[in-house]
Amino acid sequence: MIDKVAWVLLADGRVLAARSHGKDVFYFPGGKREAGESDLDTLAREVREELTVEIDRSSAEHFGTFEAEAHGRQADVLVRMTCYTADYQGTLAPSAEIAELAWLDYGDRDRASRVVQIILDHMVAAGLVRRP
């Protein structure tokens, strides 16, 4: 099981996603926790490293925890993505291993990792992400 913490940033019926260098699918910003880190510690560190913005920890809210097959791994490897919404300060910009940022709607589902596809399904059902 790969344990990840991710940021869900919604705007105008779309959700922010990132694609790492050398990858062919989009993920939500975030990543694996380091030893001893809390969810919010991981979220703040990863978002700062990937997008050059600071998460407002006081505004963070658990959005949900989702599991699916890990992209590009053996079929028996799962990823658990614990997602949070949160306000931020700064200007979004790709940094570190991030090649590209994109605002996805449901029409972009096939461009996303399996776990993000599941989350997009949830978001559409909740009326948070628009259909094309």
Side-chain angles (χ1 to χ4, degrees):
M1 175 72 66
I2 300 170
D3 178 30
K4 290 187 152 188
V5 179
W7 187 33
V8 172
L9 181 61
L10 293 156
D12 300 321
R14 298 180 300 164
V15 62
L16 182 67
R19 185 182 58 78
S20 298
H21 291 285
K23 302 288 183 177
D24 60 349
V25 295
F26 283 90
Y27 300 86
F28 292 148
K32 298 177 196 169
R33 77 180 73 241
E34 293 181 355
E37 277 187 326
S38 69
D39 284 359
L40 292 184
D41 289 341
T42 302
L43 185 69
R45 177 183 52 77
E46 287 286 345
V47 168
R48 183 182 322 107
E49 290 173 1
E50 294 180 355
L51 306 179
T52 71
V53 298
E54 292 294 328
I55 292 292
D56 175 2
R57 290 173 183 242
S58 67
S59 70
E61 292 186 26
H62 183 252
F63 180 81
T65 301
F66 305 86
E67 292 183 9
E69 295 173 3
H71 181 77
R73 302 284 184 105
Q74 294 174 224
D76 62 343
V77 177
L78 297 177
V79 61
R80 176 182 297 131
M81 189 173 288
T82 304
C83 299
Y84 289 86
T85 60
D87 296 333
Y88 70 97
Q89 295 178 341
T91 302
L92 296 167
S95 181
E97 74 268 16
I98 303 303
E100 175 183 11
L101 297 179
W103 290 95
L104 306 182
D105 65 22
Y106 201 68
D108 298 303
R109 187 178 184 277
D110 291 341
R111 299 172 57 202
S113 70
R114 181 69 186 124
V115 71
V116 170
Q117 290 177 0
I118 289 169
I119 300 166
L120 283 170
D121 293 344
H122 172 79
M123 290 174 167
V124 165
L128 299 172
V129 168
R130 68 176 178 225
R131 293 185 178 272

